[in-house]
Amino acid sequence: MPAPAARTISRPSRPTLTKKIRELGSPPAALPSREDILAFIAREREAMSRAGHAGKIGKREIARAFGVKGADRIGLKRILAELEAEGAVERRGKRLAKPGALPAVVLADIIGRDHDGELIAAPAEWDSDELGAPPRIRISAPRRPRPGEPLPGVGDRALVRAEPDHDAGPNDPPYAGRVVKLLSKARARVIGVLRVAANGVAHIEPVEKKQAGRELTIAAEDRGEAKDGDLVSVDLIGKTRLGAPRARVRETLGSLATEKAISMIALRVHGVPDEFRAEAAAEAAAALPARLESHREDWRELPLVTIDPPDAKDHDDAVFAEPDMAADNPGGHIVTVAIADVAYYVRPHSALDKDALERGNSVYFPDRVVPMLPERISNDLCSLKPNEDRPALAVRMRISDKGHKIGHTFHRVMMRSKAKLNYAQAQEALDGRPDEICAPLMSGVLEPLFRAYKSADQARELRAPLELELPERKILLKADGTVDRIVVPPRLSTHRLIEEFMILANVAAAEVLEENRQQLIYRAHDEPSREKVAALSEFLATIGVKLAKGQVLRPSHFNVILARVRGKEHENIVNEIILRTQAQAEYTHENYGHFGLNLRRYAHFTSPIRRYADLVVHRALIRALNFGPGAMPDVSAGELAEVAARISGAERRAMAAERETIDRLIAAHLAEQIGARFPARISGVTRAGLFVRLLDTGADGFIPAATLGREFFRYDEAGHALTSGSGESFRLGDIIEARLVEATPIAGALRFEVAGGSRRAAPMKSGRLSGRGRVERAKQKRRK
């Protein structure tokens, strides 16, 4: 099929400023002083915060503001490096800010009130070990609350626009802010399982670890319609004569006898929406299949195929590759990635859009999926089913014989997938064992795809992204919803093929939007902080490995270390600590690059069925390239910053819900094996004890320090170890034999002890699998 006509997109230049930094007077004869630079950064940050503008302040902006040119830029770079080394400023990609400074829009929890009764908030995501205590924000009440709009209260989570409060006293919150969007009301109740004894006495078994072991009594008249084994939410209403808290059932959430009970707990605890509003459901039901209209190209003869996990229900990406016959690209390839056109069905400010933004992303549990969009959209109209017409946004990328992308064009098309393949099936075909579906696709589809991937993989090797060895376990369930077995799926070339083509498409999307000066949401990953790198360097020195200092840190520096310890006794611990050294990826309106992938610009474009960020990028492309209906409306940088903060918070929520569900499933699976011994790896070391991960199932549990033996164990923070006076040591990454002492499936809690020797088993209290208080009491006893 001849290549469709397209709008040619040249390679992007450096990002241009959306707003010129104002000059501060005539260019000085000398470099600006350190005080001038710090004042400029603070002043510009405050101005951007008040204007709701999420701009960037880096070396380039400072040089322009002070008229620093030519060779003088070297001196400016030296001053900035000194300020950063002293902790006067911190670097985030190419941005500079005061250490611990809050962004213009922050996801915050309302934690209390001050003496005047005003609400006080603190950032929900904050690294206290690195940055100290989180800054407080005084929340101003709205002057004219809209009718019916819920007002924020203590315990709520909200998006807050914050700016430094220069009138604040030494003991006052350093920031003032206002609530932009209330995300969730505080749960002034406890969620747990109703347990009714034979004598009729009932109590609540809380489902959260921090509340486990808390005795809540329920009188018969306060149970409502709830029955033994039901998941309920309760209000605290007082105390019994013996002092135990008393509660009343407020709502019955479902029975734990159902197959999906475990994931239901996570949904309720984290407030993950799992039912669409009537308006959104109606919009989905009324949606009609897209037609081939003037704004679409007809690509239905192009043999695109989908390659996904075998249990995938929605298919939002399809791929195709062919040789590039152009004379300027000998041995090169044209790789096409087509993505479901969700923006055609989900228009801005519609009911579907509001529900999708509230969810942020789909949530995946072993027993169910909570989709971002109704199944009519996600599993039907937008799913790239074989031999059915589907609308898509597509990118055609020219890559050289060495795998470098040398150009790309975007298109809005009507496509028709030629086949639905899974990773193992496609791998078998590439290994010379095609089945009846793959055999007709070998020469025209699969072999060209693999040749293009081999070229792209060369460029990936040169790019040197971070190469951590992190095996991913998958839980397989029985028909009754209990754990059957836990497997580690093999890592196949077909997995890497799809991943690499998706990365190339995501980069192309970010580049074309920057080229067209269109606002977007980036997927950004900051470089590790100086404090974390220093801690890593200190640890590596204890095992004779040196981390180079005094240079720009890149993923390749970590890869060299990982390669050096591969196959050796320290391999696991080094992988674990390098992982913990990394920052957390996030969605942001500001571009500071993706450190882990070693990319200067990166946006999520390839999964709009399950990620709201990708839908935003699709709308931005439709607007930038005049692709017809469904384009992004006029939106300010501040509004996009709010969306980015919301979906980043939703992503954290989904990760916590998924992780806790797995913990509960495995705890239930092991509950009948109390006393059994398991090989385990120490995955964390604290003063209170050891976190361990079982090698066969990946289950996480805790060994209290008080049960390690009769000796006092000293916590070695740099060495990530607990060491006794006699030299016995438990270190991060060590393999030990752990004996299961206690399992609490509802809370997903497992407590172990090191098998063999003298042990003192301590019961779980207040949901903690360890007790720092027990450690302290043991210390006091030894002192006496």
Side-chain angles (χ1 to χ4, degrees):
M1 172 181 170
R7 181 182 290 100
T8 302
I9 305 298
S10 60
R11 298 192 68 180
S13 60
R14 290 179 178 267
T16 57
L17 292 175
T18 58
K19 180 179 179 182
K20 183 179 179 181
I21 302 295
R22 59 183 175 81
E23 296 293 338
L24 297 184
S26 58
L31 290 171
S33 69
R34 296 153 54 97
E35 293 72 18
D36 290 339
I37 293 173
L38 292 176
F40 172 76
I41 293 174
R43 187 165 55 249
E44 291 301 308
R45 272 290 169 212
E46 183 177 354
M48 289 178 180
S49 176
R50 288 178 177 173
H53 173 60
K56 181 183 79 170
I57 304 173
K59 185 181 70 174
R60 180 186 299 180
E61 289 71 36
I62 295 173
R64 287 187 179 184
F66 290 98
V68 179
K69 300 178 181 179
D72 288 339
R73 286 177 175 261
I74 299 175
L76 176 62
K77 183 177 180 180
R78 175 181 53 78
I79 295 174
L80 295 177
E82 291 174 355
L83 290 172
E84 185 182 0
E86 295 170 4
V89 297
E90 63 179 15
R91 181 182 301 275
R92 195 173 195 183
K94 293 189 175 182
R95 301 175 301 159
L96 296 171
K98 290 180 62 178
L102 293 178
V105 178
V106 60
L107 185 67
D109 292 324
I110 299 176
I111 58 175
R113 294 182 182 272
D114 63 11
H115 58 277
D116 294 323
E118 292 191 88
L119 294 172
I120 302 297
E125 303 284 341
W126 189 263
D127 191 338
S128 297
D129 293 336
E130 180 182 325
L131 300 172
R136 294 170 299 150
I137 310 165
R138 179 186 286 110
I139 302 298
S140 301
R143 293 180 180 177
R144 295 181 180 178
R146 286 179 289 183
E149 181 180 6
L151 296 176
V154 177
D156 291 346
R157 174 163 289 189
L159 286 176
V160 173
R161 188 175 298 282
E163 61 182 40
D165 185 355
H166 298 294
D167 297 326
N171 297 320
D172 293 333
Y175 287 87
R178 61 179 178 86
V179 171
V180 175
K181 178 72 176 180
L182 189 61
L183 300 182
S184 61
K185 292 295 292 180
R187 295 190 304 271
R189 47 185 177 159
V190 174
I191 296 177
V193 180
L194 180 67
R195 300 298 190 192
V196 182
N199 60 3
V201 177
H203 71 279
I204 293 296
E205 183 181 352
V207 299
E208 294 189 71
K209 288 182 181 180
K210 63 183 180 181
Q211 296 173 340
R214 184 182 185 186
E215 186 73 18
L216 298 177
T217 302
I218 303 284
E221 63 271 18
D222 293 327
R223 296 178 206 167
E225 300 297 322
K227 301 180 294 295
D228 180 53
D230 282 351
L231 183 69
V232 297
S233 65
V234 300
D235 292 321
L236 303 181
I237 59 174
K239 294 185 178 182
T240 65
R241 287 185 299 171
L242 299 177
R246 197 176 145 206
R248 176 188 296 121
V249 172
R250 175 172 181 171
E251 182 182 4
T252 300
L253 303 174
S255 172
L256 288 189
T258 61
E259 297 175 0
K260 297 182 177 181
I262 297 296
S263 56
M264 178 178 64
I265 293 174
L267 293 176
R268 298 296 180 260
V269 168
H270 290 281
V272 177
D274 63 335
E275 292 184 3
F276 291 97
R277 285 174 286 193
E279 299 87 348
E283 284 185 4
L288 299 174
R291 297 175 298 180
L292 182 62
E293 299 174 296
S294 58
H295 57 269
R296 293 194 188 279
E297 302 172 40
D298 190 349
W299 281 24
R300 288 176 291 185
E301 295 303 315
L302 191 69
L304 291 150
V305 297
T306 62
I307 306 177
D308 292 294
D311 55 354
K313 293 183 179 180
D314 54 66
H315 310 276
D316 51 10
D317 58 84
V319 293
F320 175 71
E322 58 188 329
D324 189 351
M325 307 307 295
D328 64 341
N329 190 24
H333 304 270
I334 297 177
V335 175
T336 299
V337 174
I339 306 299
D341 189 357
V342 177
Y344 176 79
Y345 296 101
V346 184
R347 301 297 174 88
H349 309 307
S350 65
L352 279 172
D353 182 52
K354 292 175 182 176
D355 269 18
L357 176 56
E358 183 181 3
R359 295 178 180 223
N361 47 250
S362 297
V363 186
Y364 295 86
F365 300 112
D367 61 343
R368 72 166 96 180
V369 175
V370 179
M372 185 181 79
L373 298 168
E375 290 191 3
R376 168 68 173 157
I377 303 294
S378 60
N379 292 2
D380 186 7
L381 294 176
C382 285
S383 186
L384 306 182
K385 298 179 178 180
N387 304 314
E388 295 192 23
D389 291 0
R390 289 292 183 264
L393 282 182
V395 56
R396 292 170 60 88
M397 299 173 288
R398 299 179 67 209
I399 64 173
S400 70
D401 61 334
K402 301 299 183 183
H404 299 290
K405 183 169 66 65
I406 60 175
H408 55 261
T409 57
F410 278 83
H411 313 258
R412 204 174 193 185
V413 306
M414 184 68 75
M415 59 159 286
R416 185 182 294 161
S417 170
K418 292 301 180 287
K420 179 182 73 172
L421 309 177
N422 64 59
Y423 290 116
Q425 179 186 22
Q427 187 67 54
E428 285 287 305
L430 294 173
D431 291 342
R433 298 179 295 276
D435 60 14
E436 65 277 6
I437 297 177
C438 292
L441 301 172
M442 289 302 296
S443 62
V445 178
L446 292 178
E447 289 175 353
L449 271 173
F450 199 66
R451 285 194 293 268
Y453 161 66
K454 297 301 288 185
S455 293
D457 195 45
Q458 297 181 59
R460 181 186 182 280
E461 291 292 329
L462 288 175
R463 193 178 82 239
L466 188 61
E467 298 281 7
L468 286 168
E469 296 292 335
L470 302 171
E472 187 173 328
R473 290 174 171 83
K474 184 174 182 178
I475 295 181
L476 303 180
L477 302 179
K478 300 176 185 176
D480 62 359
T482 59
V483 175
D484 180 18
R485 64 189 188 279
I486 300 169
V487 299
V488 179
R491 181 75 169 154
L492 305 174
S493 295
T494 46
H495 288 108
R496 298 184 178 94
L497 180 153
I498 294 298
E499 286 179 5
E500 194 57 33
F501 289 164
M502 296 304 113
I503 289 172
L504 287 173
N506 287 335
V507 171
E511 290 177 350
V512 74
L513 290 174
E514 286 188 354
E515 171 103 341
N516 285 270
R517 301 187 180 183
Q518 175 62 52
Q519 305 224 52
L520 72 147
I521 290 178
Y522 294 91
R523 180 63 170 180
H525 180 221
D526 205 359
E527 63 185 40
S529 66
R530 287 178 174 268
E531 291 79 6
K532 289 185 176 180
V533 172
L536 172 65
S537 179
E538 187 177 351
F539 164 74
L540 292 175
T542 67
I543 61 173
V545 177
K546 185 177 181 181
L547 177 64
K549 296 182 179 180
Q551 57 183 322
V552 177
L553 193 64
R554 301 189 184 281
S556 57
H557 296 126
F558 294 119
N559 292 340
V560 169
I561 295 169
L562 292 169
R564 181 173 173 180
V565 300
R566 190 165 295 129
K568 299 181 181 179
E569 61 174 323
H570 300 300
E571 178 180 6
N572 293 313
I573 182 176
V574 172
N575 266 272
E576 188 77 29
I577 295 180
I578 287 181
L579 173 63
R580 297 179 186 187
T581 301
Q582 306 308 309
Q584 195 166 25
E586 65 178 349
Y587 294 109
T588 173
H589 180 60
E590 298 180 85
N591 179 29
Y592 54 89
H594 198 294
F595 179 81
L597 293 175
N598 199 13
L599 293 169
R600 291 178 57 192
R601 54 186 63 82
Y602 192 66
H604 272 168
F605 158 73
T606 53
S607 294
I609 288 178
R610 62 186 180 90
R611 294 188 306 224
Y612 193 84
D614 304 56
L615 177 56
V616 172
V617 169
H618 276 231
R619 290 169 174 168
L621 286 167
I622 293 169
R623 174 171 179 153
L625 303 177
N626 298 314
F627 275 166
M632 180 186 289
D634 290 335
V635 60
S636 69
E639 290 172 312
L640 269 189
E642 293 169 13
V643 171
R646 287 191 68 175
I647 59 180
S648 291
E651 181 183 45
R652 308 282 190 269
R653 178 183 66 189
M655 291 169 61
E658 292 166 355
R659 182 178 61 251
E660 290 176 12
T661 297
I662 291 174
D663 287 345
R664 290 186 174 100
L665 282 168
I666 295 180
H669 180 58
L670 297 178
E672 301 301 320
Q673 302 183 52
I674 300 297
R677 300 186 178 198
F678 305 91
R681 175 176 290 114
I682 297 176
S683 58
V685 181
T686 70
R687 288 182 175 85
L690 309 172
F691 290 95
V692 294
R693 181 167 298 149
L694 304 190
L695 298 185
D696 54 352
T697 64
D700 292 309
F702 195 78
I703 300 177
T707 69
L708 292 178
R710 299 188 179 281
E711 292 188 84
F712 170 69
F713 280 82
R714 181 179 58 84
Y715 175 50
D716 178 5
E717 184 175 6
H720 297 269
L722 288 175
T723 306
S724 71
S726 63
E728 185 180 12
S729 178
F730 296 96
R731 191 175 196 182
L732 182 67
D734 284 353
I735 304 296
I736 62 172
E737 188 176 39
R739 187 173 76 86
L740 181 60
V741 174
E742 187 176 357
T744 308
I746 293 300
L750 297 171
R751 183 166 58 83
F752 297 89
E753 63 184 19
V754 178
S758 174
R759 302 288 179 259
R760 301 192 307 276
M764 288 192 233
K765 291 186 179 180
S766 302
R768 289 185 176 273
L769 295 179
S770 67
R772 179 173 296 192
R774 291 194 295 275
V775 177
E776 294 301 323
R777 286 196 297 272
K779 290 180 181 179
Q780 293 173 10
K781 196 171 183 180
R782 281 189 289 272
R783 293 191 193 104
K784 291 180 180 179

